[in-house]
């Protein structure tokens, strides 16, 4: 059955949310609780209303959850799915789900995201992800808010995704990255994202939509017309804010210098907090 979303997922300004991982930007080590608290205070000050976390590692529930509670920021929590498996019996999934069920601070949670590009990466079939969502719901039965998955629009548009997932989620959530479309310039980023959100809204009838990951890299290779850079990032984020920032979770708080640069040479360079201060 569908649950009440308790109001739609929409910000009261042009920058609703931001992704936040409690890792040191330089090396991926876990941040101290004090550092996390300082970061979340900064995000509250900048006007963000919600943060999206991906998993429970680095004591996220305690440190990030505690800081969000203290500073009055809502949360989108997640269960991260990797190549090791897509079922509750996968040890690292079981660990995350059990930790969330025990934490149970449901009043802080506005959205529960199961998997991040897990179908796109070939870690789950749509049917396996559906089964995982069903198990998570039973383990976290105290939570009555909305669920979603985070995939790209083209994955959502596959008939098997739609048929497996639509009736077990309440919100259609996608990671919409304009940079990965070679036709999009920074100034067109917002128009592109709005168009993708419109298409997303047609997939699961009656569902609210949310843009779960969206930004622009400050360094890397040009992808056709989509070129990274500091000024390009600022321009793209301004365009997204003006167009649909109240339905967007910006990616990401800081650069991730510990990641592999990737084929675009851009994976380390999505930190965008400077655009909001």
């Amino acid at each position: 059955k569908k649950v009440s979303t308790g109001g739609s997922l929409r910000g009261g300004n042009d920058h609703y949310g931001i992704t936040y991982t409690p890792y040191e930007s330089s090396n991926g080590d876990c941040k101290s609780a004090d550092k996390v608290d300082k970061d979340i205070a900064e995000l509250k000050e900048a006007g963000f209303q919600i943060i999206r976390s991906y998993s429970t590692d680095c004591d996220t529930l305690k440190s990030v959850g505690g800081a969000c509670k203290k500073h009055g920021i809502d949360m989108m929590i997640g269960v991260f799915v990797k190549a090791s498996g897509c079922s509750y019996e996968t040890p690292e999934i079981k660990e995350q789900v059990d930790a969330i069920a025990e934490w149970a601070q449901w009043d802080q949670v506005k959205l529960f995201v199961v998997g991040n590009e897990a179908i796109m990466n070939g870690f789950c079939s749509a049917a396996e992800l559906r089964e995982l969502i069903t198990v998570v719901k039973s383990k976290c039965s105290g939570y009555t808010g909305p669920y979603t998955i985070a995939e790209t629009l083209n994955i959502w548009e596959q008939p098997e995704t739609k048929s497996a997932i639509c009736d077990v989620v309440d919100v259609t959530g996608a990671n919409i990255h304009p940079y990965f479309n070679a036709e999009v310039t920074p100034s067109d980023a917002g128009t592109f994202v709005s168009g993708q959100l419109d298409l997303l809204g047609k997939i699961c009838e009656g569902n609210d939509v949310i843009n779960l990951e969206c930004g622009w890299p400050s360094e890397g290779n040009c992808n056709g017309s989509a070129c990274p850079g500091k000024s390009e990032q600022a321009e793209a984020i301004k365009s997204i804010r003006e167009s649909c920032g109240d339905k967007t979770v910006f990616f990401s708080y800081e650069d991730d210098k510990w990641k592999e640069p990737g084929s675009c040479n851009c994976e380390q360079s999505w930190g965008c907090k400077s655009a909001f201060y």
Side-chain angles (χ1 to χ4, degrees):
K1 74 177 175 60
K2 295 280 183 182
V3 293
S4 158
T5 57
S8 74
L9 294 160
R10 185 181 288 276
N13 60 19
D14 68 1
H15 53 295
Y16 179 37
I18 193 163
T19 66
Y20 181 84
T21 44
Y23 310 138
E24 292 288 356
S25 174
S26 58
N27 56 18
D29 289 352
C30 296
K31 287 187 175 183
S32 68
D34 285 351
K35 251 187 181 165
V36 170
D37 185 81
K38 191 169 167 289
D39 290 347
I40 301 295
E42 200 176 69
L43 290 172
K44 174 70 175 179
E45 184 71 20
F48 287 100
Q49 291 131 73
I50 201 162
I51 70 138
R52 179 184 173 203
S53 59
Y54 290 88
S55 79
T56 60
D57 58 348
C58 286
D59 218 8
T60 284
L61 296 169
K62 192 167 178 230
S63 65
V64 180
C68 285
K69 189 168 203 164
K70 175 178 165 186
H71 298 292
I73 288 195
D74 290 328
M75 298 179 76
M76 296 178 180
I77 60 171
V79 170
F80 205 73
V81 175
K82 296 183 187 170
S84 47
C86 186
S87 82
Y88 173 71
E89 299 311 324
T90 307
E92 62 194 27
I93 292 180
K94 185 178 191 301
E95 191 183 333
Q96 292 177 77
V97 176
D98 291 356
I100 291 168
E102 191 180 333
W103 174 70
Q105 301 293 309
W106 306 127
D107 58 326
Q108 291 184 243
V109 180
K110 287 281 177 282
L111 185 63
F112 199 140
V113 186
V114 181
N116 187 68
E117 299 179 352
I119 300 174
M120 187 184 97
N121 287 318
F123 302 156
C124 297
S125 67
E128 287 168 335
L129 191 56
R130 175 195 178 88
E131 175 60 23
L132 180 58
I133 294 165
T134 306
V135 176
V136 171
K137 286 181 176 181
S138 70
K139 300 288 178 189
C140 299
S141 57
Y143 173 70
T144 56
Y147 279 85
T148 194
I149 63 172
E151 295 288 346
T152 50
L153 178 64
N154 61 310
I155 297 294
W156 268 114
E157 287 176 332
Q158 294 172 356
E160 58 271 28
T161 305
K162 180 176 173 170
S163 62
I165 304 292
C166 279
D167 66 345
V168 291
V169 297
D170 317 278
V171 168
T172 313
N175 293 345
I176 303 173
H177 282 295
Y179 163 78
F180 292 109
N181 184 297
E183 307 293 305
V184 179
T185 63
S187 61
D188 292 335
T191 306
F192 173 80
V193 174
S194 289
Q196 297 266 294
L197 279 169
D198 288 345
L199 293 171
L200 192 65
K202 297 182 170 81
I203 291 167
C204 300
E205 203 180 328
N207 276 12
D208 193 11
V209 295
I210 188 79
N211 180 9
L212 287 168
E213 234 187 63
C214 190
W216 196 273
S218 59
E219 288 182 36
N221 306 336
C222 287
N223 172 32
S225 301
C227 286
K230 288 276 183 219
S231 62
E232 288 84 352
Q233 182 186 60
E235 186 178 10
I237 285 177
K238 179 174 185 280
S239 171
I240 297 159
R241 286 174 74 169
E242 287 171 357
S243 173
C244 51
D246 61 344
K247 294 294 286 178
T248 292
V249 179
F250 288 91
F251 178 82
S252 60
Y253 175 63
E254 287 178 317
D255 283 344
D256 297 316
K257 295 301 182 194
W258 49 273
K259 285 185 178 175
E260 292 297 319
S263 57
C264 59
N265 281 316
C266 71
E267 294 297 343
Q268 301 175 340
S269 309
W270 291 80
C272 65
K273 65 178 179 181
S274 60
F276 300 97
Y277 297 103

